Amino acid sequence: LGEELNVVFTEEQFVKGFGRTSREVLVDDWPEKNLSEQQIEERDHKKEEYFRQLLEQEFPSMDGALELFQKLFEEGFQIGIGSSGPSENVRFTIEKMNLEKYLTAYVTGSDVTFGKPDPEIFNTVAKKLGIANRNCIVIEDAVAGIKAAHAAGMKCIGFVSSGHTHEELSEADLLIDSLHELTVDKIDHLLQ
């Protein structure tokens, strides 16, 4: 999108926006300032369209993600997704990974007013799951998401993935470098 508009938006700027809605990034961090509501909406829509095109070409499924969903589901956990991404992206990912059978609920950036670090998205997921916030654990790879989880009164596992370091995610209750590290015992321990 930056290339199309002759605007420079760096990888560093992109990483800084992890966990926030595209709209919020366009308003706060996009190099073009004072965009009209229509321009924000058009850029947001176009950016997400490009994103889905990239995913269609090469889907970057996280190693161990599907196995983790299966394991938690088999152990009786209710699983929800809280993503600041638009509903089209979240549904695309759920379908691409064949996750429907494991999910009890999902909430997207399209369903909330505020993106992370605001806790609205996680509060909404917990409500849809019918579970008290204190009994929820969030797995997050973004600083804004960890802040949102804690603001919602939830424990948070920081997943150190591309673009972030242990230091940046150090506010999490537990840090992991791989989804394979997560066990039901570790999750149960956090809930105690």
Side-chain angles (χ1 to χ4, degrees):
L1 179 64
E3 285 178 18
E4 180 180 300
L5 297 171
N6 202 26
V7 170
V8 176
F9 192 70
T10 66
E11 180 81 16
E12 184 178 284
Q13 289 171 299
F14 174 75
V15 169
K16 180 183 168 196
F18 273 17
R20 299 174 64 214
T21 65
S22 291
R23 186 187 194 301
E24 289 171 317
V25 171
L26 283 165
V27 170
D28 297 337
D29 301 322
W30 190 248
E32 297 174 293
K33 298 299 176 200
N34 303 315
L35 296 172
S36 69
E37 282 300 315
Q38 181 179 348
Q39 289 173 312
I40 291 168
E41 190 175 319
E42 288 169 355
R43 282 160 177 71
D44 188 14
H45 177 74
K46 193 66 157 169
K47 179 261 181 196
E48 297 304 339
E49 188 178 300
Y50 285 143
F51 177 71
R52 286 188 297 278
Q53 288 173 8
L54 288 171
L55 288 182
E56 194 65 59
Q57 293 169 16
E58 185 177 338
F59 187 80
S61 180
M62 288 184 182
D63 186 38
L66 184 58
E67 296 85 355
L68 180 61
F69 273 95
Q70 291 168 335
K71 181 173 33 173
L72 293 175
F73 180 79
E74 289 167 3
E75 290 293 327
F77 283 84
Q78 288 191 57
I79 304 170
I81 292 178
S83 171
S84 293
S87 59
E88 298 87 355
N89 294 4
V90 175
R91 282 195 307 269
F92 178 90
T93 301
I94 290 169
E95 290 169 11
K96 196 79 165 168
M97 291 185 66
N98 198 24
L99 299 177
E100 298 92 348
K101 60 186 163 219
Y102 305 117
L103 293 176
T104 304
Y106 70 90
V107 177
T108 72
S110 306
D111 301 316
V112 296
T113 304
F114 303 104
K116 304 168 191 173
D118 190 278
E120 180 183 14
I121 201 157
F122 293 136
N123 288 333
T124 306
V125 173
K127 187 175 182 177
K128 281 188 166 193
L129 292 172
I131 297 175
N133 287 19
R134 70 181 176 281
N135 294 325
C136 294
I137 293 180
V138 173
I139 301 171
E140 242 321 322
D141 66 347
V143 174
I146 293 170
K147 290 182 184 305
H150 285 155
M154 300 174 179
K155 297 286 185 177
C156 188
I157 297 169
F159 176 38
V160 183
S161 63
S162 61
H164 292 292
T165 65
H166 283 257
E167 293 76 29
E168 290 172 313
L169 303 183
S170 63
E171 289 184 26
D173 300 291
L174 172 69
L175 286 175
I176 59 169
D177 292 298
S178 165
L179 293 175
H180 292 290
E181 293 175 44
L182 274 182
T183 63
V184 171
D185 287 343
K186 285 182 181 180
I187 292 170
D188 280 339
H189 181 74
L190 271 181
L191 286 172
Q192 300 308 316

